[in-house]
Amino acid sequence: MTAKLVGVVVGAVAVFALSAALTGGDPESPDQAAVEIFAPTPTPEPTPAPEPTAVPTPTAVPPARFTLSFTGDLLSHGPVIEQARRDGAETGLEFDYGPMLARVAPLVSAADIAVCHVETPISSDNTALSGYPVFNAPRELADGIAAAGFDTCSIASNHALDRGFTGITSTLDQLDRVGVAHTGTARSAEEQANPPIYEVGNVRVGHLSYTYGTNGIPVPADAPWSVNVTSIEGVLVQAAALREAGSDFTVLSIQWGNEYQQAPTPVQIEQATAFLESPDIDLIVGEHVHVAQPVDIINDKVVLYGIGNFLSNQSPQSCNSCPAASQDGMIFTVTVEETAPGVLETTHVSVTPTHVDRAFYEIVPVPQGLVDPDVDAGLADALRGAWERVNQAIFALDAPTTLVTVEPMPLTP
């Protein structure tokens, strides 16, 4: 609202007074008339009227524009934990995830808001660490997330309760320790009822995180708010509350779909349609299936059905059910702009494919890796394969290339 300033002018009034009469000659003489001279009191200089207060010209507020970047599942399988231990031995830490995330960190930190997905519990004391099937990652994973430039993480996942309610509190405590926000699990009913809203300039971005289930581990009866489990009605109610709380643009991170399947399931499509037909959800980013899935447009809004893995040990060499695409992921960057006063829309989506090099569990951004002279022929072939798989998956539902682009694969010898 522009304040209106009104100038007020006060006029000065001059007041004149007459002095007493001056007489001359003999007052008793009849031949001489008395002469009276009236001298006016000198007129005071008028007080200058104050200048009207100038009304400033309102400064034009440029339309809002910001970027959101998302990455896929962070899965600390046993070999990933051991690599973090080896890297820590080099840097003087018990565990160190920094080297595994170093090559993607500049791309992550470039976004206005960077969002990771923590698939597993994070330990507070580094005891009982474990990989699949019941995960417990070292506390240094939180430090690696922060150092890579992530601002917040979605936490709701099928593994959220692998270490029970204690695992939830530990995970959130560790993210709090390093200053990374979170959503999807909660330590209290109050925390669950108040999902985060991030400020970007003059825009407020709300963030929800949900999962289809918890691998058969029951959500604690005395803490039903501890994990956000998906129901269409429940998501829509919380999205409406988030809008009421001030969110201008609301993102839904959601675990769904069939593992290792590129095509979205009928349930994914049904839920995406219900969510994006709501005025309270503006963008959906899907997680869980461990491979890239397509982008689609519903009600003029973007849904990415599956973002793939980010860091894991999954590959055809590690498990019989894991396809080559399980080593792939992406940095999914959304540009949001104010296209009319108060109207925020996704105007561009950029995809940078990534690939886990299992030699040292480094996450390699594919286009950069292909121009790296130190990349050997075997890894270069793997990177080209990752680019082709991600590119094919993203456009499987004919997402418009005017809206969505995959970073070009460099021409290499």
Side-chain angles (χ1 to χ4, degrees):
M1 179 176 67
T2 302
K4 186 176 182 180
L5 302 179
V6 180
V8 179
V9 179
V10 179
V13 179
V15 180
F16 294 91
L18 298 180
S19 68
L22 299 177
T23 60
D26 182 358
E28 300 295 328
S29 171
D31 298 327
Q32 186 175 4
V35 178
E36 295 183 340
I37 299 173
F38 294 91
T41 302
T43 304
E45 290 293 326
T47 303
E51 292 291 329
T53 304
V55 179
T57 302
T59 303
V61 178
R65 184 182 186 276
F66 57 92
T67 56
L68 309 170
S69 286
F70 302 84
T71 59
D73 300 355
L74 286 167
L75 283 161
S76 284
H77 292 100
V80 173
I81 294 174
E82 289 309 307
Q83 183 63 50
R85 190 191 302 275
R86 289 191 292 271
D87 288 337
E90 296 292 325
T91 58
L93 301 173
E94 187 175 5
F95 297 91
D96 191 353
Y97 282 78
M100 290 182 270
L101 297 165
R103 299 187 68 159
V104 291
L107 301 176
V108 167
S109 58
D112 290 307
I113 301 175
V115 184
C116 81
H117 177 53
V118 177
E119 175 90 357
T120 71
I122 300 175
S123 173
S124 287
D125 58 10
N126 285 357
T127 61
L129 301 178
S130 59
Y132 181 84
V134 179
F135 287 92
N136 198 26
R139 62 187 168 206
E140 286 81 3
L141 175 58
D143 298 271
I145 288 168
F150 287 102
D151 302 291
T152 185
C153 297
S154 60
I155 309 293
S157 86
N158 56 312
H159 287 286
L161 284 171
D162 278 9
R163 295 289 167 172
F165 183 69
T166 299
I168 288 175
T169 61
S170 173
T171 301
L172 303 187
D173 289 348
Q174 291 307 301
L175 292 173
D176 285 346
R177 176 178 62 81
V178 298
V180 174
H182 43 78
T183 182
T185 62
R187 291 161 289 202
S188 68
E190 181 181 7
E191 187 172 39
Q192 192 274 341
N194 292 280
I197 296 178
Y198 322 118
E199 292 190 356
V200 186
N202 60 347
V203 175
R204 292 159 63 86
V205 179
H207 189 198
L208 299 174
S209 171
Y210 277 80
T211 179
Y212 69 92
T214 53
N215 288 348
I217 302 172
V219 176
D222 58 350
W225 30 259
S226 58
V227 183
N228 285 345
V229 177
T230 303
S231 73
I232 291 177
E233 181 182 3
V235 172
L236 292 178
V237 166
Q238 192 168 43
L242 195 55
R243 187 76 80 195
E244 182 68 21
S247 175
D248 301 308
F249 188 91
T250 298
V251 178
L252 171 63
S253 297
I254 185 168
Q255 279 210 336
W256 56 3
N258 291 339
E259 290 184 330
Y260 313 122
Q261 177 179 307
Q262 183 192 94
T265 65
V267 170
Q268 284 178 277
I269 295 170
E270 174 194 4
Q271 291 181 347
T273 301
F275 296 146
L276 293 181
E277 286 180 347
S278 163
D280 299 319
I281 298 175
D282 301 288
L283 172 69
I284 298 174
V285 177
E287 304 151 343
H288 169 67
V289 300
H290 308 306
V291 296
Q293 289 189 317
V295 171
D296 202 4
I297 311 298
I298 299 173
N299 196 29
D300 295 325
K301 302 174 188 178
V302 171
V303 52
L304 170 63
Y305 281 108
I307 196 168
N309 283 334
F310 196 48
L311 175 63
S312 83
N313 184 48
Q314 291 187 325
S315 77
Q317 290 73 44
S318 67
C319 69
N320 293 331
S321 60
C322 297
S326 63
Q327 282 180 263
D328 305 339
M330 68 184 80
I331 301 171
F332 184 78
T333 301
V334 174
T335 300
V336 180
E337 296 187 75
E338 188 176 19
T339 56
V343 177
L344 296 170
E345 296 183 309
T346 298
T347 57
H348 186 249
V349 174
S350 174
V351 175
T352 301
T354 61
H355 182 78
V356 178
D357 176 8
R358 293 175 66 251
F360 298 100
Y361 292 94
E362 291 179 296
I363 307 169
V364 181
V366 171
Q368 291 182 17
L370 285 172
V371 297
D372 186 341
D374 294 330
V375 169
D376 63 35
L379 179 56
D381 285 343
L383 296 178
R384 279 189 283 268
W387 187 92
E388 291 167 357
R389 288 187 294 267
V390 170
N391 194 73
Q392 192 277 330
I394 287 293
F395 294 107
L397 295 179
D398 298 320
T401 55
T402 53
L403 175 68
V404 183
T405 58
V406 176
E407 192 168 341
M409 181 170 65
L411 296 175
T412 55

